[in-house]
Amino acid sequence: YKAQANRQKMAAKMREIQVRGGNGGGPAHDVPKERVEMFRKIEQTELPKGYNPGAGSNAEESHKLHQSYVDKRMAGMSAEQRGMVGQLWKQKTVVDPNMKNRGASFVRILEHVANHGRK
């Protein structure tokens, strides 16, 4: 009986984590606090002028505009920078799994690394 009650509590806690994207106040991840704060600052930056996926007449065109921008920007980055973009993006999706505009968040991280990362 006790094991069943523990499983039910655990299931309820997991549902709460999924709904809130966290564990009700504390982090549900191993990403350092400093990195989480960096993501908050990055999210407050403006998108670059050349990035305008909303100019597409439909979702498919908007996606193509986004991807074209990303491909061009990544092509000008070092392997180390591209690796850092991947690492940061993976952590961002763990910290904020329910982010509203994933494409814009990715581009902000991309720009942050391009402008502040080692070449």
Side-chain angles (χ1 to χ4, degrees):
Y1 174 76
K2 192 172 185 179
Q4 182 182 7
N6 284 339
R7 281 194 300 274
Q8 288 173 340
K9 285 181 185 178
M10 182 68 100
K13 189 68 171 170
M14 292 305 291
R15 282 192 298 277
E16 179 183 329
I17 289 169
Q18 289 172 346
V19 168
R20 293 179 183 218
N23 66 0
H29 51 73
D30 292 331
V31 179
K33 268 196 276 187
E34 298 80 20
R35 184 63 52 91
V36 173
E37 183 58 31
M38 183 182 83
F39 289 139
R40 284 193 190 111
K41 288 179 182 178
I42 290 171
E43 278 300 315
Q44 295 172 2
T45 62
E46 289 186 32
L47 289 166
K49 293 192 187 320
Y51 178 72
N52 190 12
S57 62
N58 57 41
E60 185 178 343
E61 279 186 24
S62 293
H63 175 72
K64 285 180 182 178
L65 288 169
H66 162 82
Q67 196 60 51
S68 175
Y69 180 89
V70 169
D71 290 346
K72 286 177 189 169
R73 197 68 165 122
M74 293 281 271
M77 298 173 86
S78 69
E80 183 178 354
Q81 286 175 311
R82 289 190 302 272
M84 180 57 76
V85 169
Q87 179 185 1
L88 292 175
W89 179 245
K90 185 175 181 179
Q91 289 179 334
K92 171 68 173 168
T93 61
V94 168
V95 169
D96 189 7
N98 300 316
M99 69 186 96
K100 295 202 188 292
N101 190 331
R102 297 174 73 80
S105 292
F106 183 84
V107 168
R108 285 184 175 101
I109 288 172
L110 177 72
E111 290 301 315
H112 176 81
V113 172
N115 295 323
H116 299 97
R118 284 186 272 163
K119 302 273 182 200

